[in-house]
Amino acid sequence: MGEQSPVLEMTGIRKVFPGVVALDGVDFRMFPGEVHALMGENGAGKSTLIKTLTGVYEIDGGEIKLGGVPVRISGPLQAQQAGVSTVYQEVNLCTNLSVAENIFIGREPRRFGKIQWGRMRRRAAELLARLDLDLDVSAPLSSYSLAIQQMVAIARAIDVEARVLILDEPTSSLDASEVEQLFRVMRQLKESGVAILFVSHFLDQIYEVSDRLTVLRNGQLISEHRVEELSQVQLVEKMIGKELAALEDLEDKAQRNRERAAEAKPILEARGLGRTGAIAPYDLTIHEGEVVGLAGLLGSGRTELARLLFGADKADHGELAVAGKPVNLRNPQVAMRQGIAFSSENRRTEGIIGDLTVRENIILALQAARGWTRPIPRKKQDEIVDKYIKALQIRPADPERPVRNLSGGNQQKVLLARWLITEPRLLIIDEPTRGIDVGAKAEIQKLVAELSDGGMAVLFVSAELEEVLRLSHKIAVLRDRRLVEELENTAGVDADRIMQTIASGATS
Amino acid sequence: MTSILKNRLFWPAAILVVLLVINMFTSRQFVTVQDGHLFGTLIDILRNSAPLILVGLGMTLVISTGGIDLSVGSVMAISAAVACLLIQDLDDQNSVGPVLLIIGIAIVVSMLMGLWNGALVAIIGIQPIIATLILMVAGRGIAQLITDGQIINVQSGPYATIASGFFAALPVALLIAVAATVLILLLTRRTALGLLLESVGGSPTASRLAGIGARRITIMVYVVAGGLAGLAGLIYSANIKSADSISAGNLIELDAILAVVIGGTALVGGRFSIAGTVLGAVLIQTLAVTVVAVGIPSEANLLFKAVVVVALCLFQSPTLREKVFGRLTPRTARAEVPA
């Protein structure tokens, strides 16, 4: 690469929100044909920096140069015209429109004001072919997986002659082979001279695909490195600003508790529970104080299995007993009365209520359980909320702030708090650590271990095998919407062992 | 100062004050005391706001759940028809007891109408705008069936009192509206109902998974809206001492929605403001009076109203405010210094 001139140069970028300095004199540069990872914990200023670049926010100070020319990016359209394209964390496409329409939305090829559908479809197919994708471009986007939708978003982004392509958490909902496919596309784009800004919480992925990385912390630039100069541990330390001594004794604890958990009373027993089209009938027993991990690829039925245990979906066959008594979980309210709590993987759409404050979000489930006629006294609310803001280190520690304004990790903690105050016997958490930073991730894992020590049963669903292995006493492996194996998490069980089951589907 | 300017209700309140000041100059009597009652344009405005306030309160709750109720005008007509039909058949239209009972019956019938709306929305799952459109269209027909297509006139003193009577120097209609407002405030803010409503409106899926029985709450809101619309219909019909199925509450749903929006409740649901809606309703009524008072030709009435409403909405838009006042404020501030 040599000493090329940067395609993007941001100097002294400053962005202030009421009461918060989100970016404080940050410098950031990118060279053509590189993958540049932007690293930092939640709330470090990554998203804000990206948004100043994409024209969502206007900067309060500093300068942005594209190709050496100072530019003022005042809106998303200007950003696109300047050659900055973005694919956001949550794919923001219209799933009810066709693939081709999504790629060309807002800039459809026209003649005399009439959209040229044929030309649009042809060009869409060509574009996708460049990404090694062969799709029916007139099919609605919703008929494709999230990974494909992501690729479509990328296709749209690169078609506008992007010099800088921003990929914000593109991999958080992809499985391993899909990630590979994405990386192949990224490398291809890199060859053609596009500078790619890559944001991901998966350190392995960063190391696999990036050339250079920039670390932010608390809205300030910490440092810029070539990837090979910095080990993962060093990187994490730079991100959180302290030595990483978080997780060392968790693993032993899981082992230690295992014997006790086996003798404990079963909290929940599912016999042949299933729902047609979602999850094949399965047996599962969860004991007091036991952490059961659900492993499997995206779409393997992990979430579907968990939802039946909360009445979020209704099972259409099988039986369920809670604490030995048969129950029919018709809806979440019934499940809550049985002491079951469920935190969904879709934090934004099925978890938080964005407009409401942190306090209101935290007390919501407890209040719902009490019914509207018995409001929780305000003093009690404040007590509970303060306690959990402190215990879970929710930041900013302001109970009256709309939860929408919190970072992903902190929203997740708010959700955990919401369920913990209902004092459940069984806590089902679906992907609690997805898309959140290392520090918050460690805190949540620690919390799960503590809860289980305190006797709470936990059903822990995660796409990350390491995490499942670290926390679980027992692991249930899913494949193709079927529970294929249940194994004790003994010393001999490792990621390879589980991967084998996922790959082969063998029931031993 | 800036925090007051930023308050969503600042501009509606400011415009209301301006309109009231205009009325102070144009009307012969703004507020006076006569025979121990308060009289004048201001009192008329407040009294005549009562039906819109009542309908607006119900609309606020419905909108906060992400719904809408287009049938309120028709429910007003039905309620008036029921009440007048029954009162007409009384031996003594001036006996208080039976009239009160009939008022109760009319309100219960209105609540049943609300129950119908709520069931269509929450149980069958029809979109609120369509579900309530059914009763909006059919309701006037039902009202006409009840009155046999006639306008029923009543001569009932007690009935007329709820529209034109006075109690403790204040109009009864206004007192009813105030009482309903206080009741709704207590119902939503002293219980957890307000929170649950805002939650359901903010995200129905997330609310369901948090264990909120959204269905029951949604139905309840439509029932309350129906009841309040029914009460509004009674005040309207008591004022003209008759049940007029065609014009009772005609187009009031639009004014009510407007009052809610002016009051700062978003049409997509979620956060709502009861006080805002009341302010919005009074503003709309004041506007109607002002149009006449300043002598704007009647054919230009609606246009004038539209202009004020558009201006108000623009003022309330944060984006526009920032653009206009972000630059204007320093300049005006400078201009004020020498003056």
Side-chain angles (χ1 to χ4, degrees):
Chain A
M1 210 176 304
E3 268 316 291
Q4 250 176 313
S5 57
V7 58
L8 169 74
E9 216 176 349
M10 304 172 85
T11 36
I13 301 298
R14 186 176 165 78
K15 177 72 203 173
V16 184
F17 293 114
V20 201
V21 181
L23 291 175
D24 189 5
V26 172
D27 298 339
F28 180 67
R29 55 181 192 155
M30 286 176 76
F31 293 93
E34 73 166 354
V35 175
H36 193 129
L38 187 56
M39 304 299 299
E41 286 194 285
N42 290 321
K46 292 182 313 246
S47 300
T48 313
L49 186 68
I50 289 176
K51 283 178 177 163
T52 62
L53 192 53
T54 56
V56 177
Y57 299 147
E58 281 197 66
I59 50 175
D60 296 324
E63 190 186 37
I64 303 178
K65 277 189 190 168
L66 269 167
V69 187
V71 288
R72 186 168 159 270
I73 299 175
S74 52
L77 195 64
Q78 282 86 344
Q80 268 192 17
Q81 282 161 353
V84 180
S85 282
T86 318
V87 176
Y88 287 101
Q89 180 169 5
E90 316 278 340
V91 180
N92 46 354
L93 300 171
C94 311
T95 49
N96 56 335
L97 298 183
S98 77
V99 172
E101 283 169 320
N102 267 294
I103 294 179
F104 287 102
I105 196 163
R107 45 190 193 85
E108 298 87 350
R110 289 165 193 264
R111 183 187 288 154
F112 307 127
K114 181 183 163 295
I115 295 177
Q116 298 172 288
W117 293 103
R119 185 150 155 246
M120 184 163 120
R121 281 194 288 268
R122 245 185 345 269
R123 278 186 50 198
E126 281 165 23
L127 259 178
L128 291 169
R130 266 172 64 191
L131 306 183
D132 277 343
L133 283 178
D134 182 20
L135 307 182
D136 174 3
V137 294
S138 47
L141 190 67
S142 55
S143 56
Y144 291 105
S145 70
L146 211 56
I148 299 291
Q149 295 183 14
Q150 191 103 49
M151 303 283 177
V152 171
I154 293 174
R156 179 173 72 172
I158 59 171
D159 184 49
V160 290
E161 304 300 321
R163 287 189 282 180
V164 176
L165 175 64
I166 301 170
L167 300 178
D168 189 1
E169 289 281 350
T171 57
S172 58
S173 42
L174 304 188
D175 67 30
S177 69
E178 290 167 336
V179 169
E180 263 321 302
Q181 196 179 1
L182 175 71
F183 284 180
R184 216 166 43 237
V185 169
M186 284 171 66
R187 292 195 186 98
Q188 219 173 314
L189 289 171
K190 183 171 111 174
E191 300 283 292
S192 65
V194 178
I196 299 178
L197 197 169
F198 181 56
V199 178
S200 169
H201 282 106
F202 299 101
L203 296 185
D204 290 340
Q205 296 179 355
I206 298 287
Y207 275 81
E208 188 182 338
V209 78
S210 314
D211 303 304
R212 195 189 288 270
L213 53 84
T214 294
V215 183
L216 299 182
R217 189 170 69 228
N218 293 332
Q220 287 173 328
L221 172 72
I222 300 303
S223 52
E224 190 207 83
H225 303 272
R226 292 200 61 76
V227 168
E228 55 282 9
E229 292 169 4
L230 200 68
S231 76
Q232 291 206 12
V233 175
Q234 286 170 319
L235 172 59
V236 171
E237 284 172 2
K238 280 193 186 299
M239 283 164 62
I240 62 177
K242 57 185 176 224
E243 310 245 315
L244 187 68
L247 301 161
E248 82 280 3
D249 62 358
L250 269 184
E251 229 148 331
D252 305 336
K253 228 186 230 168
Q255 291 292 343
R256 198 171 56 238
N257 280 344
R258 214 171 42 75
E259 289 93 41
R260 201 196 65 182
E263 288 159 25
K265 279 191 304 199
I267 285 286
L268 177 136
E269 293 158 282
R271 294 279 159 267
L273 201 69
R275 180 178 161 90
T276 315
I279 178 84
Y282 61 89
D283 296 344
L284 186 69
T285 306
I286 305 176
H287 298 88
E288 259 176 9
E290 185 177 48
V291 180
V292 177
L294 286 190
L297 298 178
L298 196 81
S300 60
R302 299 185 308 237
T303 299
E304 288 78 358
L305 186 157
R307 286 174 70 93
L308 293 190
L309 301 179
F310 184 63
D313 297 322
K314 233 162 43 181
D316 53 15
H317 29 260
E319 287 152 24
L320 190 68
V322 175
K325 276 194 255 118
V327 287
N328 172 16
L329 300 182
R330 289 187 311 276
N331 57 42
Q333 284 156 286
V334 178
M336 281 166 65
R337 256 176 262 143
Q338 295 295 331
I340 302 174
F342 170 73
S343 168
S344 163
E345 60 171 342
N346 298 317
R347 193 159 54 222
R348 259 185 10 168
T349 53
E350 298 187 342
I352 60 153
I353 314 246
D355 276 350
L356 300 188
T357 63
V358 170
R359 172 178 58 82
E360 289 169 325
N361 268 284
I362 290 180
I363 63 155
L364 196 58
L366 184 61
Q367 184 62 66
R370 290 167 64 112
W372 66 271
T373 49
R374 291 173 54 224
I376 307 167
R378 185 54 193 264
K379 223 178 113 204
K380 180 120 180 282
Q381 288 185 21
D382 290 339
E383 256 168 48
I384 300 175
V385 170
D386 279 345
K387 184 174 142 204
Y388 276 88
I389 284 181
K390 279 204 195 81
L392 303 185
Q393 298 184 30
I394 295 172
R395 271 171 305 230
D398 173 7
E400 298 310 318
R401 185 177 291 244
V403 77
R404 185 179 350 104
N405 297 349
L406 267 61
S407 67
N410 283 303
Q411 289 177 353
Q412 188 64 53
K413 290 183 196 166
V414 167
L415 287 180
L416 283 174
R418 175 192 290 176
W419 290 113
L420 292 180
I421 65 171
T422 66
E423 297 173 354
R425 288 190 283 187
L426 168 64
L427 175 66
I428 305 171
I429 32 182
D430 195 356
E431 296 282 6
T433 63
R434 178 201 284 173
I436 69 176
D437 65 71
V438 202
K441 203 176 217 168
E443 284 171 26
I444 286 174
Q445 291 175 358
K446 224 180 200 161
L447 180 72
V448 169
E450 282 166 14
L451 290 172
S452 127
D453 288 350
M456 193 184 292
V458 180
L459 183 65
F460 187 84
V461 186
S462 172
E464 281 181 66
L465 280 183
E466 288 74 25
E467 195 173 60
V468 174
L469 280 163
R470 191 177 302 135
L471 288 172
S472 311
H473 301 114
K474 191 164 80 182
I475 299 173
V477 185
L478 288 112
R479 180 177 193 269
D480 294 337
R481 300 183 179 269
R482 191 174 290 280
L483 198 165
V484 288
E485 190 178 23
E486 200 185 302
L487 39 93
E488 293 293 318
N489 190 8
T490 48
V493 176
D494 58 11
D496 284 345
R497 170 77 181 71
I498 293 174
M499 284 305 287
Q500 248 170 23
T501 311
I502 291 174
S504 66
T507 337
S508 50
Chain B
M1 183 62 195
T2 35
S3 69
I4 300 175
L5 270 172
K6 270 188 188 150
N7 190 311
R8 267 207 280 228
L9 296 183
F10 172 78
W11 285 107
I15 291 187
L16 179 62
V17 169
V18 170
L19 292 176
L20 287 177
V21 168
I22 292 174
N23 278 292
M24 253 167 87
F25 289 109
T26 54
S27 54
R28 278 185 298 130
Q29 294 173 318
F30 191 63
V31 192
T32 52
V33 181
Q34 236 173 53
D35 312 330
H37 301 326
L38 286 171
F39 270 108
T41 313
L42 178 66
I43 301 305
D44 284 344
I45 289 174
L46 290 176
R47 195 188 61 163
N48 293 334
S49 304
L52 186 56
I53 290 175
L54 292 172
V55 173
L57 289 174
M59 191 68 82
T60 308
L61 300 185
V62 170
I63 285 180
S64 82
T65 64
I68 200 147
D69 188 349
L70 297 183
S71 71
V72 283
S74 297
V75 173
M76 280 176 68
I78 293 174
S79 151
V82 168
C84 289
L85 184 76
L86 292 176
I87 289 175
Q88 192 189 31
D89 288 345
L90 285 181
D91 295 330
D92 175 13
Q93 292 195 12
N94 285 323
S95 54
V96 176
V99 169
L100 280 178
L101 179 67
I102 288 168
I103 288 175
I105 292 172
I107 290 174
V108 169
V109 168
S110 308
M111 291 170 89
L112 288 176
M113 297 293 134
L115 183 64
W116 160 263
N117 282 332
L120 288 187
V121 172
I123 297 177
I124 305 186
I126 303 177
Q127 286 179 6
I129 195 164
I130 301 299
T132 57
L133 187 66
I134 296 172
L135 190 57
M136 175 187 178
V137 176
R140 293 212 179 268
I142 297 173
Q144 277 175 299
L145 282 177
I146 294 172
T147 61
D148 220 3
Q150 307 293 314
I151 292 179
I152 301 180
N153 295 305
V154 292
Q155 267 84 41
S156 165
Y159 189 53
T161 303
I162 63 171
S164 47
F166 280 84
F167 180 79
L170 289 168
V172 173
L174 176 64
L175 291 174
I176 291 176
V178 170
T181 305
V182 171
L183 195 71
I184 295 290
L185 273 174
L186 289 178
L187 186 68
T188 54
R189 299 303 182 197
R190 283 296 149 130
T191 71
L193 187 64
L195 172 66
L196 299 190
L197 282 176
E198 291 176 336
S199 169
V200 169
S203 171
T205 328
S207 300
R208 187 177 95 90
L209 289 181
I212 296 172
R215 185 175 286 185
R216 205 180 307 165
I217 287 181
T218 307
I219 294 177
M220 186 170 130
V221 175
Y222 282 93
V223 170
V224 170
L228 287 168
L231 188 55
L234 295 180
I235 293 179
Y236 176 90
S237 97
N239 197 32
I240 56 173
K241 299 192 179 66
S242 63
D244 178 349
S245 305
I246 308 291
S247 62
N250 189 26
L251 295 183
I252 199 171
E253 60 279 350
L254 299 184
D255 275 343
I257 293 169
L258 187 61
V260 172
V261 173
I262 288 174
T265 302
L267 280 181
V268 290
R271 290 282 188 209
F272 65 87
S273 163
I274 295 292
T277 298
V278 172
L279 180 62
V282 175
L283 174 59
I284 291 170
Q285 182 61 37
T286 311
L287 191 56
V289 171
T290 312
V291 167
V292 179
V294 300
I296 289 171
S298 58
E299 57 271 25
N301 273 358
L302 290 175
L303 190 63
F304 181 77
K305 187 170 162 188
V307 170
V308 175
V309 168
V310 168
L312 178 59
C313 291
L314 286 177
F315 280 138
Q316 279 182 297
S317 144
T319 331
L320 183 101
R321 239 186 358 225
E322 200 175 302
K323 279 201 177 126
V324 177
F325 294 94
R327 282 162 210 162
L328 262 184
T329 318
R331 209 185 303 156
T332 40
R334 249 179 281 135
E336 270 167 15
V337 178

